[in-house]
Amino acid sequence: MTMEPLQLELPITPLRHPDPVGSEVSIQERFEAFHELNPWICDQLEALTADCIHHGSKRVGIGMLFEVLRWQYGRATAGQEPWRLNNDFRSRYVRLLLERHPEWVTVFETRRLHRP
C-alpha cells in the first residue's frame, strides 16, 4: 500500500524569541513581544482555522492548531531548529484571532484570564 504525500504545507519562517525577561513581566507582555517578532504564527493559525471551518468544523481547539504548527515547523526545518511555542500564549492567540474574526466566537472556547 502506497501512501499519498500530505498536501499541507505552511509558509514557515525562522522562529524568533525576544530577549529574556524577568519574572515580573506578565504573560500578556511576553506574548506581545513574541507576537511582534513572529506575526506569521497568528497568520498561520488564522489560515488553519479558516481551513477547518471550510471543511465543516464547528469547533476548533487552539491546542490542535499549535500541534499542527509544531509539526509543520519540524518538517520545514528538518528538526534542525528547536521549536519553542509557549503554551501560555494559546489563550492570547485565540483572543487575537477573535479580534480579527468576531464571527468565529462560536468556534473557539474562551475562559476568563487568570493572570494578565
Side-chain angles (χ1 to χ4, degrees):
M1 178 178 184
T2 304
M3 298 285 296
E4 292 292 321
L6 295 173
Q7 298 300 313
L8 179 63
E9 291 293 332
L10 301 174
I12 300 291
T13 59
L15 193 61
R16 298 170 54 202
H17 292 279
D19 292 330
V21 293
S23 60
E24 70 282 350
V25 178
S26 71
I27 293 172
Q28 184 64 34
E29 291 168 322
R30 288 187 292 130
F31 168 73
E32 289 170 2
F34 181 82
H35 175 62
E36 184 177 330
L37 294 173
N38 302 284
W40 65 270
I41 291 175
C42 193
D43 295 341
Q44 295 313 315
L45 292 170
E46 184 177 28
L48 287 168
T49 302
D51 186 63
C52 287
I53 293 168
H54 175 77
H55 285 94
S57 295
K58 302 292 184 217
R59 304 281 291 176
V60 176
I62 191 67
M64 181 266 303
L65 299 178
F66 263 42
E67 295 308 323
V68 169
L69 279 181
R70 286 178 172 129
W71 176 62
Q72 283 291 315
Y73 195 83
R75 290 181 71 209
T77 63
Q80 299 301 311
E81 270 191 56
W83 175 258
R84 293 186 178 94
L85 183 56
N86 191 329
N87 283 340
D88 288 346
F89 299 160
R90 295 188 321 179
S91 64
R92 274 46 181 199
Y93 275 116
V94 166
R95 285 165 173 76
L96 187 54
L97 289 170
L98 292 177
E99 281 180 28
R100 292 181 178 188
H101 296 275
E103 71 276 14
W104 290 353
V105 70
T106 60
V107 173
F108 290 103
E109 178 182 339
T110 57
R111 298 178 185 151
R112 181 178 60 85
L113 294 174
H114 296 283
R115 292 180 278 171

